[in-house]
Amino acid sequence: MTPTELGPAFFLAVVVILLTCRLVVAVTSRLGQPPVVAEMIAGVLLGPSLFGLVAPGLSHQVFPADLKPVLYVAGQIGLVALMFHAGYEFRAHANRALAGTAAAVSAAGATIPLLLGVGLTVLAHGHVPLFVDGVSMWVTAAFVGVALAITAFPMLARIITERGLSGTRFGSLALAAGATDDALAWVLLAGVLSAAAGDAGHVLTTVGGTVLFLAALLAAARPLLAWIVDQARLSDEARLLGTVTVLFCAAWYTDLIDLYAVFGAFCVGLVMPRSTAAERLVTTVQSVTQVVFVPMFFAYSGLNTRFDVFADPSVTVFGAVAVVLAVAGKFGGCWAAARLRGERQSVAVRIGALMNARGLMQLIALNIGLTAGIVSQALFSTLVLVALVTTVMTSPVLEWLDRRDARTKESAPQAVPV
């Protein structure tokens, strides 16, 4: 397609994506699900698993093959803004008083699913058609492990904020542990991608580029952002332009060294100064992109998701076992770690429920793996299923726990004053 043909196709696709997302949000919100869950579901519905199956001709007209790279790039804008906000929120929830327990929960919630994912993939090798020719089994196994270890920090933060749980102990612990978990997962993902390249020079470029990036972040980007925020002579538009310039430069560079744009955006959020003006800038950057560009990422993911792969019984079994291990490893691991740190049962089980959601973060990792050529379409669809199930179950589990605790309080004998 020529640029003049892509323009109208892009705008039509965006209208379809946004309206579908709003429609699914209207339905799922009645079930207590956050908007990000609806957007994930909408993305899958627009792909070959439903829209492409029911109306293949119309699906091809709305989402022609040449349009997919454009949706990918537009979705990246949304993801960069979202991860910028996630990095900014990370610092807000870095509570030293909770550091020990949060670190233990994060370590358990990352290590146990990682090991379970690696073990499952190794056992599946030679029995399930999930592997890409030419890609080491251990690279695929490590990628699956990292995918299961991820926590959806932005979604977790949204659920906690919308439910008014920010001041609770389990809410604060989940935020701190989730942020740490995600930061660790991105580092592990970068390691897996470097190993997949199989080139020592490539690995050295990534490692050396990361060191250079972190040095530039602390020496140049942090003071520059502080100057942009504090400079009274700058207009709001100039502050926004300066912040976005730093953000996109970081995204460009980390993409260049194969650390990926989302990591650079997260790091810029980490060094963003904390003030009322900075909060306004971060909110401005995220507000429009969250509504318009992030849904395009979900649509792009949906176009790559084919649930017809589950027609193969071995893939279905792998997917079911992956879901069970993902829940057992993350939910169970975080719950156990919190209990071992002396947290009450009611606190520990809610931490496990919140940390179990993979959501958007797992989809980002899956798309990175698919783009890098180390994830097959079948494995991509299987892990999308894991992301959907673990994310959808979060709100109902929290609702059930709230109702159970409410019934327990009502049935408890009341003290009668003497």
Side-chain angles (χ1 to χ4, degrees):
M1 297 178 72
T2 64
T4 53
E5 292 172 329
L6 275 174
F10 173 75
F11 290 120
L12 174 61
V14 171
V15 169
V16 171
I17 291 167
L18 297 182
L19 291 180
T20 304
C21 285
R22 290 303 98 190
L23 179 62
V24 180
V25 166
V27 174
T28 57
S29 62
R30 297 176 181 273
L31 304 175
Q33 295 290 350
V36 67
V37 172
E39 291 166 350
M40 287 176 65
I41 295 172
V44 172
L45 295 180
L46 289 172
S49 298
L50 182 65
F51 187 30
L53 186 66
V54 174
L58 184 59
S59 174
H60 179 72
Q61 288 183 353
V62 177
F63 299 111
D66 289 346
L67 187 63
K68 287 178 67 175
V70 181
L71 290 176
Y72 175 80
V73 173
Q76 288 297 298
I77 296 172
L79 294 184
V80 164
L82 188 67
M83 291 302 288
F84 174 52
H85 183 263
Y88 186 78
E89 287 294 311
F90 174 90
R91 286 183 58 198
H93 301 294
N95 189 329
R96 291 185 180 181
L98 304 175
T101 300
V105 170
S106 176
T111 304
I112 297 175
L114 176 67
L115 295 176
L116 291 175
V118 170
L120 173 63
T121 310
V122 171
L123 290 174
H125 188 252
H127 304 287
V128 187
L130 298 170
F131 299 84
V132 176
D133 291 338
V135 176
S136 166
M137 176 197 69
W138 293 107
V139 168
T140 304
F143 183 88
V144 172
V146 171
L148 297 192
I150 286 175
T151 289
F153 174 70
M155 187 197 131
L156 183 152
R158 180 185 286 186
I159 290 176
I160 289 174
T161 301
E162 289 177 350
R163 287 176 168 265
L165 304 175
S166 299
T168 64
R169 183 166 181 81
F170 71 84
S172 300
L173 278 170
L175 282 170
T180 306
D181 196 320
D182 261 6
L184 175 62
W186 287 119
V187 173
L188 291 174
L189 181 60
V192 171
L193 293 169
S194 294
D199 179 4
H202 179 89
V203 174
L204 289 175
T205 299
T206 301
V207 173
T210 302
V211 173
L212 183 61
F213 171 70
L214 295 176
L217 196 70
L218 296 174
R222 182 163 64 177
L224 177 58
L225 288 168
W227 181 85
I228 290 171
V229 171
D230 296 334
Q231 188 58 251
R233 291 179 297 176
L234 293 178
S235 64
D236 289 344
E237 291 79 6
R239 287 195 184 93
L240 180 61
L241 176 61
T243 303
V244 170
T245 299
V246 173
L247 177 61
F248 281 13
C249 281
W252 161 76
Y253 179 76
T254 48
D255 244 347
L256 197 66
I257 61 172
D258 287 339
L259 201 58
Y260 291 91
V262 289
F263 185 84
F266 184 82
C267 290
V268 173
L270 284 176
V271 301
M272 187 74 179
R274 300 201 64 81
S275 66
T276 303
E279 182 81 34
R280 189 165 59 249
L281 278 171
V282 173
T283 302
T284 301
V285 170
Q286 197 220 6
S287 56
V288 175
T289 54
Q290 177 72 39
V291 174
V292 178
F293 291 102
V294 172
M296 294 185 215
F297 170 77
F298 287 115
Y300 177 80
S301 300
L303 292 174
N304 288 317
T305 303
R306 303 190 63 93
F307 283 151
D308 56 356
V309 299
F310 293 108
D312 185 326
S314 64
V315 176
T316 302
V317 171
F318 181 90
V321 175
V323 169
V324 172
L325 293 182
V327 174
K330 182 70 78 170
F331 196 136
C334 294
W335 167 81
R339 290 292 285 162
L340 289 173
R341 289 287 301 181
E343 298 297 332
R344 299 193 313 275
Q345 172 69 6
S346 60
V347 171
V349 73
R350 284 175 169 80
I351 291 173
L354 286 165
M355 291 287 288
N356 185 51
R358 270 78 173 179
L360 178 64
M361 294 298 99
Q362 185 169 343
L363 288 185
I364 295 173
L366 294 180
N367 277 281
I368 288 174
L370 189 66
T371 304
I374 63 174
V375 173
S376 67
Q377 288 286 347
L379 183 57
F380 181 90
S381 299
T382 300
L383 294 177
V384 166
L385 178 67
V386 174
L388 280 170
V389 172
T390 58
T391 305
V392 167
M393 68 183 287
T394 302
S395 290
V397 169
L398 290 174
E399 292 283 357
W400 177 79
L401 290 170
D402 290 343
R403 290 196 301 270
R404 186 198 64 175
D405 289 353
R407 287 195 302 268
T408 302
K409 288 180 181 179
E410 290 173 2
S411 60
Q414 299 297 314
V416 179
V418 179

